[in-house]
Amino acid sequence: MNSKDLVINAIQRKPIERVPWVPFVGVHGAALLGTDAKTYLYSPEMIFQGAKLAVDKYYADGLPVTFDLQIEPECLGCELKWNDKNPPAVVSHPLTDGVRLEDLKVPGPDNGRIPIVMEAARKIRKAFPDIALYGLVAGPFTLALHLLGTEVFMKMYESPEYIYSVLEFCSQVTMAMTDYYCDAGCDIIAVVDPMTSQIGEEQFRQFVTEPATVVFDHIRSKGKYSSFFVCGHAQHNIKAMCECGPDNISVDENVPLDFVRDIAKAHNISMGGNLKLTVVLLFGDQVDSQQNAMRCIQQSEGEGFILSPGCDLPFDTPPENLVVVGNLVRDPYQQQVVLSMAAHTEDDDLPDLSNYGTDGPVQIDIITLDSESCPPCQYMVEAVQRIMPEFHGKVEWREHPIKEPAAVKFMKALGVKNIPTICIDSKPAFVSIIPKRDELVQAIQNRIDEKKV
């Protein structure tokens, strides 16, 4: 059984000889080539060469063409901010800047950077016919949020019919991108919708279920397989995600894998994830990476499971941490060795926060993956930034992207388990949910009153 068949069998919950391994190599491919993210994402040849290195070095059974959810927003008029080590971030929202929904057009195959990515997909497909090739598309709700900004949350209450129309348009964009990836030779379409972690199950069913179901039905009509990809603390929406009809759901470390396993199995759906991106793959060593991979394999119980990171690999992920995972899934003896090893933890030397926030201005700490690469993190940071002028120096805020080792220690010292999270004077206040403006203002004001700042 070749790697592609292994992945596809796992997606269909068919018997497999071992767990397949799909490293989500996005701009990490640029790091392998010694270039920056923008140069990489504008070059079909570089995207191909990054994929080639990943296949060769990491023994990948499958790969995404790239991991850039800003391709569709850019085509629809969103301005982007580029960073050397991350995919671009959306910094403008057309539907709040005077553009009417009826003026937006579904991007064609020659718009924006779409032809760059599709050329790369065709090159990868031709060179590696025996690996599973993923086409990643922006999910309808995340795309709607890029078009509207955080105003989408208010309009879900004030103008639900308008949001239905926006999401219907966004699902058309998602299906168009699906068609382009299918034509370029992709086997699996991953609908990446991280912002759905920011809404409750009732809102998910009201606004997301229908457009997502339409998308998965469309993928199935193309004879391809699908994955519903979410990151963040989305545990409350896993069942609703399964009911949208994907073949697979994929989660990050914020959602316990055994929890996903049981719900997915009940719906006859496979699952993927949830290797820890930063504390293990980025900052850990080879032992950490092997042990985390083994825990994922054990929790999955092996059936209908694809081992992968929880999201786009950080740019500076040490290649050796990924090499050992690729070796591990193929070597039963090595798996037994890892199982026999003691857990490896390094929680010593954490900062002492016992007096943190007791005096002076109220301290707002936002624990993120990185607001320049993670949409939920970006919009949580923006929520805090927008209200700062109301407090006239009584509040100080900072972001702690856990791609930095000091931020990981700070996160552990705070007791934060999920990202993104807003802490007020060291106490987690908003966990993986972007607060409404009034809620955030009130929470901060309550703390100001307590401290008599």
Side-chain angles (χ1 to χ4, degrees):
M1 185 181 297
N2 63 30
S3 289
K4 181 166 75 172
D5 292 338
L6 186 69
V7 173
I8 290 175
N9 275 14
I11 281 185
Q12 298 179 88
R13 298 189 66 89
K14 291 182 177 179
I16 51 176
E17 59 199 42
R18 63 170 175 85
V19 168
W21 158 234
V22 179
F24 285 117
V25 176
V27 294
H28 174 68
L32 293 177
L33 294 172
T35 190
D36 62 273
K38 186 173 184 179
T39 301
Y40 182 79
L41 292 173
Y42 266 96
S43 169
E45 180 61 25
M46 283 194 169
I47 295 172
F48 166 69
Q49 291 296 337
K52 183 177 186 300
L53 282 173
V55 171
D56 294 341
K57 291 174 71 73
Y58 304 148
Y59 316 110
D61 294 306
L63 279 178
V65 178
T66 190
F67 206 120
D68 179 1
L69 303 182
Q70 285 62 248
I71 295 169
E72 298 96 313
E74 183 181 28
C75 289
L76 295 169
C78 295
E79 295 178 11
L80 304 183
K81 177 183 177 183
W82 287 87
N83 179 287
D84 286 347
K85 293 188 175 185
N86 289 313
V90 169
V91 295
S92 73
H93 313 290
L95 293 182
T96 60
D97 295 334
V99 175
R100 299 181 307 168
L101 177 61
E102 53 266 33
D103 293 331
L104 296 178
K105 305 298 180 187
V106 174
D110 297 322
N111 291 152
R113 290 182 290 121
I114 294 174
I116 294 173
V117 178
M118 299 309 154
E119 182 180 344
R122 289 188 289 270
K123 291 169 74 74
I124 298 168
R125 176 78 294 159
K126 182 177 179 181
F128 300 104
D130 293 333
I131 70 162
L133 190 57
Y134 283 64
L136 271 57
V137 297
F141 188 73
T142 294
L143 184 54
L145 197 140
H146 285 323
L147 293 175
L148 273 165
T150 53
E151 189 174 321
V152 71
F153 298 114
M154 179 180 66
K155 287 190 176 297
M156 288 167 73
Y157 293 99
E158 295 181 350
S159 308
E161 293 299 328
Y162 177 65
I163 297 301
Y164 297 148
S165 297
V166 172
L167 285 167
E168 195 275 333
F169 170 77
C170 290
S171 69
Q172 291 180 24
V173 175
T174 303
M175 288 187 287
M177 289 296 292
T178 290
D179 292 346
Y180 308 149
Y181 275 117
C182 291
D183 291 345
C186 290
D187 308 292
I188 300 150
I189 304 300
V191 179
V192 189
D193 218 343
M195 294 309 300
T196 57
S197 65
Q198 300 300 301
I199 57 176
E201 183 179 0
E202 183 178 347
Q203 291 175 309
F204 186 103
R205 294 184 187 282
Q206 181 180 357
F207 292 101
V208 179
T209 293
E210 183 174 345
T213 301
V214 168
V215 168
F216 291 120
D217 286 345
H218 181 74
I219 296 169
R220 194 169 293 109
S221 76
K222 302 287 290 186
K224 304 294 183 177
Y225 300 96
S226 63
S227 178
F228 204 166
F229 197 117
V230 66
C231 62
H233 191 52
Q235 186 167 335
H236 54 287
N237 284 332
I238 297 300
K239 183 178 180 183
M241 289 171 61
C242 289
E243 292 170 358
C244 293
D247 298 302
N248 171 274
I249 56 174
S250 189
V251 298
D252 70 6
E253 66 257 38
N254 281 283
V255 184
L257 204 56
D258 52 355
F259 175 87
V260 180
R261 176 198 66 212
D262 294 343
I263 294 178
K265 185 176 182 179
H267 289 81
N268 197 32
I269 290 173
S270 60
M271 63 177 183
N274 64 348
L275 283 169
K276 296 182 179 181
L277 281 175
T278 54
V279 296
V280 171
L281 294 180
L282 181 59
F283 295 129
D285 58 22
Q286 295 173 59
V287 172
D288 298 325
S289 301
Q290 289 176 317
Q291 290 181 340
N292 186 211
M294 236 11 263
R295 279 193 290 272
C296 290
I297 292 170
Q298 283 187 299
Q299 287 184 336
S300 74
E301 298 182 348
E303 181 181 335
F305 177 62
I306 297 168
L307 181 65
S308 62
C311 195
D312 186 13
L313 284 167
F315 185 93
D316 289 320
T317 302
E320 57 269 23
N321 287 354
L322 302 171
V323 170
V324 296
V325 175
N327 281 322
L328 181 74
V329 298
R330 287 167 167 77
D331 188 342
Y333 172 75
Q334 194 174 130
Q335 293 175 24
Q336 291 303 314
V337 171
V338 171
L339 286 172
S340 69
M341 295 173 65
H344 178 73
T345 58
E346 293 185 358
D347 285 348
D348 298 334
D349 196 29
L350 297 181
D352 181 5
L353 301 182
S354 56
N355 294 316
Y356 186 69
T358 56
D359 299 311
V362 172
Q363 302 297 317
I364 307 297
D365 295 289
I366 314 167
I367 313 301
T368 68
L369 176 62
D370 185 341
S371 63
E372 292 186 334
S373 62
C374 163
C377 301
Q378 173 190 343
Y379 290 115
M380 187 169 272
V381 168
E382 288 180 2
V384 172
Q385 285 177 314
R386 279 196 301 272
I387 65 167
M388 282 301 103
E390 298 191 20
F391 294 105
H392 308 292
K394 295 182 179 180
V395 177
E396 295 176 349
W397 77 276
R398 61 192 62 79
E399 178 188 0
H400 304 269
I402 64 168
K403 289 183 178 180
E404 301 169 2
V408 174
K409 289 187 174 183
F410 190 75
M411 176 186 74
K412 289 182 177 181
L414 289 170
V416 170
K417 302 296 184 184
N418 303 103
I419 54 174
T421 287
I422 294 174
C423 295
I424 300 176
D425 275 344
S426 82
K427 301 294 189 286
F430 298 97
V431 179
S432 200
I433 293 291
I434 299 169
K436 298 183 180 68
R437 179 187 179 89
D438 291 347
E439 292 175 342
L440 181 56
V441 169
Q442 189 61 57
I444 295 172
Q445 187 60 53
N446 289 345
R447 182 57 181 159
I448 289 173
D449 294 342
E450 289 175 7
K451 292 177 71 173
K452 298 181 172 57
V453 176

